[in-house]
Amino acid sequence: MNNRAFVFAVRPQGMPDESTFRIVESPIPELKEGELLLRALYLSVDPYMRGRLSRARSYAPPVEIGQVMVGGVVARVVESENAAYAAGDIVVAYTGWQEYAVSDGKGLRKVDPSIPVTAALGILGITGLTAYFGLLDICNPKPGETVVVSGAAGAVGSIVGQIAKLKGCRTVGIAGGDDKVEWIKRECGFDAAFNYKTTSDYGAALTELCPQGIDVYFDNVGGPITEAVLPRINTGARISICGQISQYNNAKPEMGPRLLSMLVVARAKMQGFLVSDYASRFGPALEELKGWYQSGQIRNREDIVEGFENLPKAFIGLLKGENIGKRLVKV
Ligand SMILES: NC(=O)c1ccc[n+]([C@@H]2O[C@H](COP(=O)([O-])OP(=O)(O)OC[C@H]3O[C@@H](n4cnc5c(N)ncnc54)[C@H](OP(=O)(O)O)[C@@H]3O)[C@@H](O)[C@H]2O)c1
């Protein structure tokens, strides 16, 4: 039996394309004592993967040419020589863009049988945890405050808005499509939202939609959207820098207005974070997210692309904003 994997083929300048990755086949090795064979069911595609294709300074090493592309998966244990796992178990693993993988069991997490397996890569996985800690830990939102979310119809952003709503905040989302704006207002309870792709003056839109100013800003995108937010923050505002996707394909850093003096004026806090830094607190956070999800207080939308061979397309489409909610690839 052969394994299929996507390896990193060409380091992209700007937006990756399908030649960035190459599919390779190789035989599946025999298991040794302590190992197990995993068959991927769903693979997660995520914006951070663009960072791994670059040699720029980061918090994780880049993927090297010829290496299997990294990524999280939900997989079924096909065969096991490891006492902790049996054939049929469903696990979350970080085995990358391949159909089969041999694991020594380290770093695997069994999927809670009471949840849909795909949720383990989204709302009840890294996506939900990112929204949870980035909003609650860094921004400490209080009832009545105005919370602005960029990338609001994406996987993380749509959950951030819903948690902020549960905390009694007024939520304002920014997203790149009328369908996205409509969905976050209708399904995710955002009080207001605008489509940045059809709005020429982001500042005017924010002034109109945030008449009491902005107390919390959860930033997924950076760039001109964030530049429009900063002059409108209230005294004591908290800003969580989750990601800066508008910058990920730039070969050189984009220069913009220098607005950090707004942090002085408003005595505001701006903090970047990595969800992995909260690993010791994942257990209770997942329990709380599960409660919200199972009671229907938080909606989880998945955007599933069918077919292992469509992984590169699904990833590039994510960078271009094709997705609403959490994008996954079904093998
Ligand atoms: N700090 C952490 O530990 C951590 C963990 C997970 C994710 N993140 C970050 O969180 C952010 C969201 O990740 P996600 O997994 O939820 O992805 P996502 O939001 O589901 O998908 C990416 C979205 O980014 C938007 N986008 C693309 N180019 C843009 C641009 N130039 N300007 C504005 N928006 C743009 C697109 O939506 P539009 O149609 O709205 O443009 C696209 O749908 C990313 O920045 C990611 O790097 C950080």
Side-chain angles (χ1 to χ4, degrees):
M1 202 164 49
N2 273 355
N3 182 28
R4 289 194 301 168
F6 278 101
V7 297
F8 185 24
V10 180
R11 206 169 285 288
Q13 299 295 319
M15 184 66 80
D17 61 28
E18 290 202 42
S19 69
T20 304
F21 306 99
R22 180 165 49 85
I23 203 160
V24 294
E25 282 199 29
S26 59
I28 297 170
E30 290 285 309
L31 293 188
K32 297 201 236 19
E33 180 66 33
E35 290 183 338
L36 51 150
L37 179 64
L38 300 175
R39 167 118 173 70
L41 303 175
Y42 292 90
L43 298 106
S44 179
V45 283
D46 299 273
Y48 77 82
M49 292 170 172
R50 179 63 185 84
R52 298 290 193 284
L53 305 181
S54 155
R55 292 201 153 278
R57 182 184 164 199
S58 184
Y59 53 87
V63 181
E64 297 302 338
I65 299 295
Q67 191 186 328
V68 174
M69 183 57 191
V70 294
V73 309
V74 164
R76 175 178 286 119
V77 177
V78 182
E79 243 180 273
S80 178
E81 297 294 333
N82 181 315
Y85 296 92
D89 284 351
I90 306 287
V91 297
V92 176
Y94 198 73
T95 44
W97 290 14
Q98 51 186 341
E99 287 178 302
Y100 290 91
V102 173
S103 161
D104 60 6
K106 289 197 190 103
L108 301 185
R109 174 165 64 89
K110 280 193 190 167
V111 174
D112 175 345
S114 69
I115 65 165
V117 295
T118 49
L121 290 175
I123 169 105
L124 301 178
I126 290 303
T127 302
L129 291 164
T130 301
Y132 184 97
F133 289 110
L135 179 70
L136 299 180
D137 214 75
I138 294 176
C139 301
N140 189 22
K142 299 185 198 70
E145 288 190 326
T146 298
V147 175
V148 171
V149 184
S150 62
V156 173
S158 59
I159 296 171
V160 170
Q162 295 182 80
I163 298 177
K165 203 71 213 157
L166 284 175
K167 296 292 168 187
C169 300
R170 186 164 180 282
T171 51
V172 178
I174 306 168
D178 289 343
D179 52 345
K180 295 187 177 196
V181 164
E182 169 59 21
W183 175 69
I184 60 173
K185 288 203 288 188
R186 195 186 62 240
E187 299 288 330
C188 303
F190 277 80
D191 295 287
F194 72 90
N195 175 356
Y196 74 89
K197 289 188 176 163
T198 54
T199 301
S200 54
D201 188 341
Y202 304 160
L206 286 166
T207 299
E208 186 193 325
L209 299 180
C210 307
Q212 310 297 321
I214 297 165
D215 302 294
V216 167
Y217 175 46
F218 191 101
D219 188 17
N220 286 309
V221 310
I225 290 174
T226 298
E227 282 154 14
V229 168
L230 286 181
R232 292 167 177 81
I233 55 174
N234 289 333
T235 300
R238 288 84 66 205
I239 298 169
S240 183
I241 304 295
C242 175
Q244 299 280 286
I245 195 167
S246 72
Q247 309 300 303
Y248 293 174
N249 284 304
N250 292 343
K252 282 190 182 159
E254 189 182 86
M255 301 313 286
R258 289 153 171 94
L259 292 173
L260 295 186
S261 61
M262 292 299 153
L263 299 185
V264 182
V265 173
R267 285 81 98 197
K269 175 177 93 165
M270 180 186 264
Q271 187 182 324
F273 75 99
L274 273 185
V275 65
S276 50
D277 294 342
Y278 292 92
S280 64
R281 293 166 56 194
F282 279 2
L286 284 172
E287 277 309 305
E288 192 162 21
L289 285 162
K290 185 175 149 184
W292 289 332
Y293 169 65
Q294 289 188 326
S295 63
Q297 286 171 285
I298 290 192
R299 301 283 182 94
N300 179 46
R301 180 159 171 171
E302 290 165 346
D303 181 304
I304 298 178
V305 174
E306 298 268 342
F308 177 78
E309 56 289 349
N310 290 322
L311 261 168
K313 262 197 206 103
F315 168 60
I316 295 160
L318 173 89
L319 296 177
K320 292 182 174 167
E322 274 174 11
N323 62 305
I324 301 187
K326 172 67 191 151
R327 177 155 273 199
L328 300 168
V329 172
K330 183 173 184 192
V331 178

